[in-house]
């Protein structure tokens, strides 16, 4: 008969042994240490100066003092000295200061779930099923980084499949965002969970944004997409500029408005039937039209007005008219309205 048990090395009471209670109590003490094993920590490397009875520790690498040379062992204060127990493969322990359980692999203590974990379903405070294989009932769900960045990936097999996030009220869909039925990213809304309306769509091929229902904007607009260079294919909504010939204002829909500076007009004294006119004045537009625009203008002198002459896509000719001869013609301002394409 051996002197101790095979697994926990509990001492046996021998035949005709004196003071059998000593051996029995030692075995009880070992059981009290190792059964339902819970330790204070596995990072304390030096024995505490005033150890508490019953406190157990797993020794880390580089343990010192009375623990030196026993890395990985389980220790407990015995009242006068530290009892040291080398672990065996499969031992489990709860780490109090980490609130997690570990297992001795034969070489080191590892978390119970440190390896790969694969389950068919997982319900956290909720029942998972064949469709919702992961179900979580909670006030919040946190997905965070492991040092730098974090990505949440929703993958689909083919473009015609769906990869999206659906937001519900009482299990009835109200909003969906993602790639549903194609690879364009879309945001859809619903009032009843049955009929859906696309509010925003972003083309996967071009990145262009489309709002089929239109948009209501109550705040300010800014940026080069609002005021910049307009184009028939891509550009800003509005364009404005100034040259020595005046100012212009272009709209993306093709409208062009040109404004002249104050243009000096000479004397309105040349007879023209019952009227008097000035010499012809040619104004070059600050931006060219696609075709001759509509030209209007006015003088700052009572009883005078502007008369139109030949108009082209790049300039116009005007005269000042009056019912009476005016020796000082003053200034005229001209407006041209047309299209730039």
């Amino acid at each position: 008969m051996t002197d101790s048990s095979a697994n926990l090395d509990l001492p046996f009471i021998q035949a005709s042994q004196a003071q059998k209670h000593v051996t029995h109590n030692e075995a009880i003490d070992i059981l009290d240490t190792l059964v339902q094993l819970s330790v204070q920590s596995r990072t304390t490397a030096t024995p505490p100066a005033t150890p508490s009875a019953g406190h157990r520790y797993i020794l880390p690498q580089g343990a010192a003092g009375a623990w030196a040379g026993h890395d990985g062992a389980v220790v407990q204060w015995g009242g006068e000295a530290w009892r040291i127990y080398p672990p065996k493969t499969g031992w489990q322990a709860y780490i109090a200061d980490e609130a997690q359980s570990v297992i001795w692999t034969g070489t080191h203590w590892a978390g119970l779930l440190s390896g790969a974990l694969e389950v068919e379903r997982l319900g956290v405070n909720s029942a998972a099923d064949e469709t919702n294989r992961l179900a979580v009932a909670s006030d919040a769900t946190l997905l965070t980084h492991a040092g730098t960045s974090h990505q949440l990936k929703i993958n689909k097999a083919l473009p015609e499949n769906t990869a999206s996030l659906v937001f519900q009220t009482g299990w009835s869909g109200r909003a969906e965002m993602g790639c549903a039925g194609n690879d364009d990213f879309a945001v859809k809304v619903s009032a009843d969970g049955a009929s859906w309306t696309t509010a925003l769509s972003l083309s996967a091929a071009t990145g262009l944004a489309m709002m089929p229902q239109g948009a209501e904007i109550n705040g300010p607009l800014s940026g080069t997409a609002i005021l910049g260079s307009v184009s028939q294919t891509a550009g800003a909504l509005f364009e404005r500029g100034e040259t020595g010939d005046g100012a212009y204002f272009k709209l993306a829909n093709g409208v062009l408005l040109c404004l002249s500076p104050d243009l000096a007009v000479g004397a309105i004294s040349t007879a023209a039937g019952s009227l008097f006119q000035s010499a012809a004045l040619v104004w070059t537009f600050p931006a060219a039209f696609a075709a001759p625009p509509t030209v209007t203008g006015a003088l700052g002198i009572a009883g005078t007005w502007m008369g139109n002459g030949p108009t082209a896509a790049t300039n116009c000719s005007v005269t000042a008219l009056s019912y009476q001869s005016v020796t000082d013609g003053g200034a005229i301002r001209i407006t041209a309205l047309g299209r730039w394409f």
Side-chain angles (χ1 to χ4, degrees):
M1 180 178 177
T2 60
D3 294 335
S4 60
S5 64
N7 292 317
L8 295 182
D9 199 26
L10 304 176
F12 289 146
I13 298 175
Q14 302 298 314
S16 303
Q17 177 180 330
Q19 294 186 315
K20 294 179 174 61
H21 66 284
V22 174
T23 301
H24 175 73
N25 290 343
E26 182 181 356
I28 293 296
D29 196 43
I30 295 173
L31 288 173
D32 183 68
T33 300
L34 301 181
V35 174
Q36 300 292 346
L37 181 57
S38 175
V39 302
Q40 300 303 116
S41 176
R42 57 171 171 170
T43 58
T44 303
T46 304
T50 54
S52 301
H55 280 189
R56 294 162 287 182
Y57 299 87
I58 288 176
L59 302 187
Q61 292 292 318
W67 293 349
H70 299 289
D71 296 353
V74 177
V75 299
Q76 176 178 281
W77 178 246
E80 297 180 356
W82 290 95
R83 295 191 177 98
I84 300 175
Y85 305 95
K88 294 187 178 181
T89 302
W91 281 19
Q92 294 184 25
Y94 178 78
I95 313 296
D97 64 356
E98 298 178 25
Q100 73 158 317
S101 296
V102 294
I103 187 171
W104 179 254
T105 66
T107 58
H108 65 282
W109 292 96
L112 289 178
L113 300 180
S114 62
L117 174 66
E118 294 186 10
V119 295
E120 291 185 358
R121 302 178 194 171
L122 177 60
V124 180
N125 197 33
S126 181
D129 55 37
E130 283 298 320
T131 300
N132 303 292
R133 298 202 172 200
L134 171 62
V136 179
S138 172
D139 291 333
T141 300
L142 173 64
L143 301 174
T144 187
H145 64 84
T148 54
S149 305
H150 184 90
Q151 287 185 325
L152 176 63
K153 299 177 181 178
I154 302 177
N155 183 57
K156 61 179 181 176
L158 298 170
E160 57 267 28
N161 299 143
T162 295
S164 68
L165 295 176
V166 178
F167 301 87
Q168 299 179 325
T169 297
W171 308 110
S172 178
R174 291 297 179 268
E176 180 179 15
M177 58 187 294
C179 303
N182 53 49
D183 284 340
D184 294 340
F185 185 86
V187 178
K188 302 178 181 180
V189 292
S190 175
D192 56 11
S195 299
W196 291 83
T197 301
T198 299
L200 173 67
S201 178
L202 304 176
S203 170
T206 65
L208 290 176
M210 291 157 280
M211 292 182 283
Q213 313 309 316
E216 179 180 331
I217 302 173
N218 297 316
L221 296 175
S222 63
T224 56
I226 305 300
L227 186 62
S229 297
V230 298
S231 167
Q232 294 186 51
T233 55
L237 294 176
F238 311 105
E239 178 182 339
R240 69 181 181 185
E242 289 190 28
T243 71
D245 295 314
Y248 69 89
F249 187 66
K250 259 184 201 184
L251 278 67
N253 66 354
V255 173
L256 172 60
L257 175 67
C258 291
L259 305 173
S260 78
D262 287 342
L263 301 175
V265 176
I268 311 172
S269 58
T270 301
S274 60
L275 302 176
F276 294 88
Q277 68 178 20
S278 68
L281 174 68
V282 177
W283 173 43
T284 300
F285 304 134
F289 292 88
T294 299
V295 176
T296 59
L299 285 80
I301 302 174
T304 63
W305 66 95
M306 188 188 81
N308 290 3
T311 300
T314 57
N315 59 67
C316 67
S317 176
V318 298
T319 58
L321 300 174
S322 175
Y323 289 114
Q324 58 186 3
S325 177
V326 179
T327 57
D328 184 4
I332 188 171
R333 291 183 179 178
I334 309 173
T335 300
L337 179 63
R339 298 189 64 83
W340 58 273
F341 73 82

